[in-house]
Amino acid sequence: MPADPKIYHIVHVDRLPSIIADGRLWCDAEVVRRSPPGTTIGMNSIKQRRLNELTLTSRLFLRVGDCVPFYFCPRSIMVYLIHQADHPELAYHGGQQPIVHVEADMRQTVAWAEAQASAGPSRFRMPALITLKIDAISHS
């Protein structure tokens, strides 16, 4: 594993003012609850499944949509789908130009998450992330 593995999040540029004002990225569950101004770029069917069906195996009470989605690859498949603009489930068709790629240090992000009172001490343990095939990810 690299000394400083990165994680990535994509967001439409018109969401940046609310992210900056709030000082954080929100999970999809909070985005739905807060209804901030800006464009949603993901597929609704995927978001709904994350919000209503998929749970974390380490915390069954926690749905995937309760966590901010990060990619482990610098190139997102969603940006490719946005570029192609032909997927039947993709409602956003504004192109990839206004998409911002947020990069974060994975270790610092996990440390931050573990330090948050609401995260609890064991929700985001690094050993669970070490099983990633970093060589495959970094060459994508």
Side-chain angles (χ1 to χ4, degrees):
M1 174 175 279
D4 61 344
K6 305 297 183 201
I7 54 177
Y8 306 89
H9 181 80
I10 59 171
V11 63
H12 194 281
V13 70
D14 65 8
R15 284 272 167 100
L16 288 181
S18 66
I19 292 169
I20 293 167
D22 293 340
R24 65 187 68 220
L25 295 171
W26 292 108
C27 65
D28 283 342
E30 278 299 305
V31 169
V32 168
R33 190 178 77 72
R34 291 170 173 271
S35 191
T39 304
T40 299
I41 59 173
M43 289 185 191
N44 192 49
S45 60
I46 293 173
K47 288 183 179 293
Q48 289 303 311
R49 197 176 70 195
R50 290 174 177 169
L51 288 167
N52 300 313
E53 298 173 28
L54 302 175
T55 58
L56 298 182
T57 56
S58 62
R59 296 288 182 258
L60 296 179
F61 66 89
L62 190 66
R63 298 203 184 274
V64 173
D66 294 323
C67 302
V68 174
F70 285 98
Y71 293 93
F72 294 99
C73 298
R75 291 184 222 128
S76 160
I77 187 66
M78 186 57 65
V79 174
Y80 175 75
L81 292 175
I82 288 169
H83 170 71
Q84 293 296 312
D86 62 357
H87 195 285
E89 293 183 32
L90 188 63
Y92 171 74
H93 296 285
Q96 63 183 350
Q97 282 298 103
I99 306 303
V100 175
H101 296 253
V102 179
E103 179 184 274
D105 180 277
M106 184 178 78
R107 293 181 193 281
Q108 290 178 0
T109 304
V110 170
W112 175 87
E114 287 179 338
Q116 302 305 301
S118 64
S122 63
R123 185 192 291 176
F124 300 102
R125 290 275 182 225
M126 182 62 85
L129 298 174
I130 291 176
T131 60
L132 296 171
K133 293 184 178 179
I134 296 296
D135 286 341
I137 291 170
S138 63
H139 289 89
S140 62

